[in-house]
Amino acid sequence: MKKVLILTAGFGEGHNAAARNLRDALEFISDEVQVEVLDLFESTYGSMNTLARSAYLNMVQYAPKLWGGVYNLLDNSKFVENRLGGFTKLKNALADILHETQPDCVVSTYPVYAHVIQELYRDYAEKPFTFITVVTDAITVNSAWYSATSDIFCVANEPTAEVMEKAGVPAAKIRSLGFPVSLQFTEEPAVPLRLPLGEEPRKILYVIGTGKKKAGKVIERLLSLANVQLTIVCGRDAELKAKLMERTSEFGERVHVLGWTNQMPKLLLTHHVVISKAGGAITQEAIAARCPMIVNQVIPGQEEGNARLIGDYKLGAVVERNREVPELIEEAFSQKAKLWQEWRKNLLRISRPDAALTLAELVLAECEHTDTSREKIKLFKPADTGLKPAGPGASAGAPRMLLCDFHIHTSYSDGKLTVPEVVDFYGRLGFDCICITDHLADPRRLIGKLARLSNMTVSEDQLGEYFEVIARERQRAWRKYGMIVMTGIEFNKDGYTKKTSAHLLGIDLKAPIDSALDLPETIAHIHAQGGLAVASHPHIMKSEWGKNTLYLWENHEKFAHLIDAWEIANRHNIFDCVGMKRLPFLGNSDFHKPKHIYSWKTLLYCEKEAEAIKECVRRNEHVSITLYRENNQLVANSPLRQATVSATTDPREIIVPSAAAMIGAHSH
Ligand code: ZN
Ligand code: ZN
């Protein structure tokens, strides 16, 4: 088994995208590789980093000129070296991780790691792994990327390779493989894009960036052009989405307004042109999709190279002012779309939609070169413990203690993490079964309508995608962590008062369920799919924002025979009434962000298999709840552990000793 460590940082969007896509490609082409993606800024600097990052994002949003200045400052290797003095914590953490995990290959998608590794291995040739830097900048490459050495530098295209060479990087070390975009770009779209000629619609994708809310006029002008169909992506700004939907409603089917989406690959593959700012990820994705790009906003510094790539190589065009966009679009499609066809031809030449796979092959080949005679410590997967006598591959018939959480929100509703991030978060902590339960609001209720507008719930038109994405992650979670991932929904039936409000979890659903059904009908549909119907937070609780939902409890005599289990604990709240009535119970996080992990969980003693798990809940035998805590001692002892604890520690090693916090709530 080969081990690859990918180091990234969540500053800007390109670094994480490159890291994730490379990981997916490695796992796709080989069963013989373990891949770990780590953001040491995240793990080492914790909440401080969150602050630094939001400061960065705010700066980019509101003061692009200022950020340009900062970026230039960073483009001075002295500055990076000096900063390294303050990076001792990061250096120690990386040293510890490299020592314990002994990877065959280390890949970095963020320039600072090369400097740290150079510090750690004064004799660079002696380091026991290959170090590959994946440069996510294009053309204007910040010198921090190459002022510390790497065994191999991978760049997105030839022009960038030339820039690196001119800066003194030996040509033999540079590989121009393309930017590792999502594997979805290698899939042919179901309906191929037709030439924008004659009556064929001109399909335009308009991605509205932050700080660019005055797009209304441009949109109207675009729609005044013949045969134009417009898809607008406006991100999480619900107010903007509502405004645009109203403003464009007269155009009917010619306009689609989307909020936040993770379907960019599909959208880029099915549109003739994308209008967007020159962000690192989207520029590379547009190139991979061979979708000509019109850049209408450039953040000075890191985005300038992306804009030059588009402009200089005629892969689209860069406009000074947003209002120039409609004219340019008109020109692009005039004269049998001459200009558009030229852009497209140039794109075909430079586009590498399968770059992630090529890069993965290079990484695997480098793994072969490393010396495998060294003794390696297996730390990428949670260690087996007494509580989990057999791994996922063992006979399914053996019951064991399973750590479960059946109430988790993601960025599909109001959670902070995406579905893949939730899977990695829980997988690393060694959970056995989780269920993702994003909010679905009832459109018949006013509060449901409001919730929808504020993007706090999954929208009806994203439900199909929601099921698809979780199904894909279910496979990955099982392969990588031996963790079962179920698809669920939290049905929000909110009334004007707490007594008329109810939240109901549908657990292990196979297909979407209409959000406008009443509670008994919803439960019937959940049961028809073999799922569990669970009453969430059924009694009075202290909540950060939500109001109490008492309807099910007020009517528990009517609902008792319909509901499979009641949350006896939700996050920090305990509902002792559920225990007193001897109703079947569960304990859940109601997870919205990482700190919510320190909350009530369910332990089930049964086979690690979806049907057995559901049956265990229904019978409610061998069910306990446990208050999840990390071993603070362990963390306090060594700051280094903070970086590795999530990747290497089975939480049950921690839970069992703290039995004092465990409620012996066996129901029989
Ligand atoms: Zn709820
Ligand atoms: Zn919830």
Side-chain angles (χ1 to χ4, degrees), residues 511-547:
I513 292 174
D514 188 348
S515 57
L517 300 174
D518 65 20
L519 279 161
E521 287 173 311
T522 308
I523 295 170
H525 275 85
I526 294 170
H527 286 157
Q529 296 189 14
L532 299 175
V534 174
S536 36
H537 41 78
H539 208 255
I540 294 162
M541 62 168 176
K542 285 204 184 88
S543 156
E544 280 166 44
W545 55 273
K547 75 168 180 314

Side-chain angles (χ1 to χ4, degrees), residues 407-409 437 439 490 503 505 536-537 570 590-592:
H407 189 162
I408 297 170
H409 298 275
T437 54
H439 298 286
E490 181 169 23
H503 285 188
L505 299 175
S536 36
H537 41 78
N570 175 290
D590 205 345
F591 181 94
H592 286 74

Side-chain angles (χ1 to χ4, degrees), residues 377-438:
I377 309 162
K378 192 184 166 197
L379 275 174
F380 275 71
K381 281 196 175 152
D384 283 349
T385 67
L387 263 178
K388 191 175 129 192
S395 75
R400 66 197 85 151
M401 193 68 93
L402 305 179
L403 179 60
C404 311
D405 194 350
F406 298 102
H407 189 162
I408 297 170
H409 298 275
T410 74
S411 53
Y412 272 105
S413 60
D414 55 348
K416 286 273 181 281
L417 305 184
T418 62
V419 174
E421 284 166 351
V422 160
V423 164
D424 286 328
F425 183 81
Y426 277 88
R428 284 194 183 127
L429 291 174
F431 274 72
D432 297 288
C433 177
I434 63 170
C435 183
I436 291 172
T437 54
D438 275 307

Side-chain angles (χ1 to χ4, degrees), residues 599-613:
S599 60
W600 290 99
K601 303 283 177 291
T602 301
L603 285 170
L604 301 176
Y605 187 73
C606 66
E607 291 165 41
K608 189 159 167 176
E609 193 271 318
E611 294 306 317
I613 287 170

Side-chain angles (χ1 to χ4, degrees), residues 469-507:
V469 167
I470 299 175
R472 202 187 303 147
E473 284 298 306
R474 174 159 38 250
Q475 307 292 331
R476 190 176 69 86
W478 182 251
R479 272 202 323 265
K480 185 159 184 182
Y481 303 108
M483 177 173 76
I484 293 172
V485 175
M486 295 176 171
T487 308
I489 288 174
E490 181 169 23
F491 296 92
N492 289 21
K493 304 287 178 190
D494 288 316
Y496 291 102
T497 67
K498 52 193 177 207
K499 292 199 175 190
T500 55
S501 298
H503 285 188
L504 177 80
L505 299 175
I507 290 170

Side-chain angles (χ1 to χ4, degrees), residues 3-5 34 36 38 94-104 106 374-380 644 647-648:
K3 291 187 219 162
V4 178
L5 178 64
Q34 286 185 338
E36 195 69 33
L38 277 183
L94 185 56
D96 193 49
I97 288 164
L98 292 172
H99 178 74
E100 285 191 45
T101 59
Q102 307 208 6
D104 299 285
V106 178
R374 287 175 291 122
E375 197 190 325
K376 282 176 187 165
I377 309 162
K378 192 184 166 197
L379 275 174
F380 275 71
T644 50
T648 59

